[in-house]
Amino acid sequence: MIKALFFDIDGTLVSFKTHRIPASAIDAIKAAKAKGVEIYISTGRPYAMINNIDEIKPLINGYITTNGAYCFSGNHIISCSPILDSTVRRILTESDEKHFACIVVGEKDVVMYNPNEEAEHLFKDMLDIKNYRTDIPIDKVLDQPILQLTPFITDEQEKELLPFLPGIESSRWYPAFADFTAKGISKAIGLKEIAQYRGFDITETMAFGDGGNDLTIVEAAGIGVAMGNANEILKAHADYITTSVDDDGIANALRHYLSEAVLD
């Protein structure tokens, strides 16, 4: 029996084309929630940048944010796993020297460090994120636990950089940037922590994703679902491949796995 559903946002719940949750997904999630299934978000975004799921926010029981570095339910913080300060400083020095933008995610504030036109275009136009800051002093953010760093670097740049960052876990959900969290942190860790906190077994969970940062949670969940628009690696490791986010993928997967009594 499935007791909890975990949804990635971009490319899974929310269409890259419309920046909205399809109506079919909203209806299916509402029906599952009404029958007692718990609803969770599992995203690479920090909570401050979750701006596109208002239609289902009242249904959400908890969040895995920043790829598992910060997990909470209501006002209860389930886990907070910051990056070592020395590692943060090393990455920002690389940003200065190699001239790439980097999103710095503190426990309270999020700022774009060394912003450039490419990064701003991606966030504003392609991902529809308009509420990030460039005017917060970096020292103010660095006084907080740093949960995630998102450098705008290529795969090759990432490969060159990671050997010098042994305390970093890297994942990608969009080609233009990588998400860096503390070593060992992932969405799968967030899934396990929430399951333990709520008292259900991992086998009673179902996780949906489309990108590289969804691989661990799709593998760890009782049922792992890859969207039709997911990358091929994720599809190869999923228990089920549904249709794309724009072709009722969420609703079709829930219809396939949950009983008619849940979805009616």
Side-chain angles (χ1 to χ4, degrees):
M1 179 179 177
I2 298 300
K3 292 185 178 179
L5 304 173
F6 289 76
F7 296 99
D8 170 55
I9 295 178
D10 299 280
T12 300
L13 265 181
V14 175
S15 167
F16 281 118
K17 297 177 182 178
T18 67
H19 305 301
R20 300 292 298 273
I21 305 175
S24 62
I26 295 171
D27 291 342
I29 291 169
K30 285 181 177 178
K33 177 75 174 187
K35 297 297 184 179
V37 180
E38 296 187 8
I39 309 298
Y40 293 88
I41 295 298
S42 171
T43 182
R45 294 191 186 212
Y47 183 73
M49 287 186 175
I50 298 177
N51 62 345
N52 51 2
I53 60 170
D54 287 350
E55 296 95 335
I56 64 166
K57 261 194 173 181
L59 309 176
I60 296 170
N61 293 91
Y63 292 80
I64 298 170
T65 67
T66 53
N67 291 302
Y70 194 82
C71 304
F72 64 95
S73 178
N75 293 323
H76 178 76
I77 299 172
I78 297 171
S79 63
C80 178
S81 305
I83 302 170
L84 287 174
D85 181 67
S86 58
T87 304
V88 172
R89 300 282 178 175
R90 175 64 187 267
I91 295 169
L92 295 186
T93 297
E94 292 286 334
S95 171
D96 289 334
E97 293 178 352
K98 297 182 179 175
H99 310 292
F100 58 77
C102 184
I103 299 291
V104 182
V105 181
E107 188 174 17
K108 297 180 180 178
D109 296 306
V110 180
V111 66
M112 184 181 289
Y113 184 69
N114 287 333
N116 58 41
E117 186 175 338
E118 176 190 6
E120 292 191 359
H121 166 69
L122 177 68
F123 267 60
K124 288 180 181 178
D125 300 328
M126 298 188 71
L127 298 180
D128 199 37
I129 300 175
K130 299 180 175 68
N131 61 335
Y132 67 88
R133 301 283 295 277
T134 59
D135 59 338
I136 301 175
I138 189 62
D139 288 342
K140 177 185 177 183
V141 183
L142 293 179
D143 281 341
Q144 307 166 26
I146 301 303
L147 305 175
Q148 183 168 271
L149 295 165
T150 301
F152 287 74
I153 54 177
T154 64
D155 282 319
E156 286 304 313
Q157 288 175 306
E158 181 184 351
K159 290 174 184 176
E160 292 173 3
L161 187 57
L162 284 180
F164 302 99
L165 303 171
I168 284 295
E169 196 78 36
S170 180
S171 60
R172 283 181 183 262
W173 56 273
Y174 202 84
F177 54 77
D179 284 336
F180 289 175
T181 53
K183 192 69 176 178
I185 298 303
S186 68
K187 290 185 178 185
I189 295 298
L191 170 70
K192 293 172 184 177
E193 289 170 338
I194 288 178
Q196 182 177 15
Y197 171 69
R198 291 294 297 134
F200 48 75
D201 194 87
I202 295 292
T203 59
E204 299 172 314
T205 66
M206 187 173 181
F208 294 74
D210 74 301
N213 64 340
D214 299 311
L215 181 59
T216 61
I217 194 169
V218 164
E219 288 184 312
I223 298 172
V225 179
M227 305 301 289
N229 49 282
N231 66 50
E232 294 305 314
I233 294 175
L234 188 67
K235 288 180 178 178
H237 288 82
D239 298 299
Y240 183 71
I241 302 171
T242 187
T243 50
S244 74
V245 60
D246 295 298
D247 191 26
D248 303 323
I250 296 291
N252 288 335
L254 292 180
R255 191 174 295 112
H256 178 81
Y257 276 104
L258 301 186
S259 69
E260 291 300 322
V262 171
L263 291 182
D264 284 349

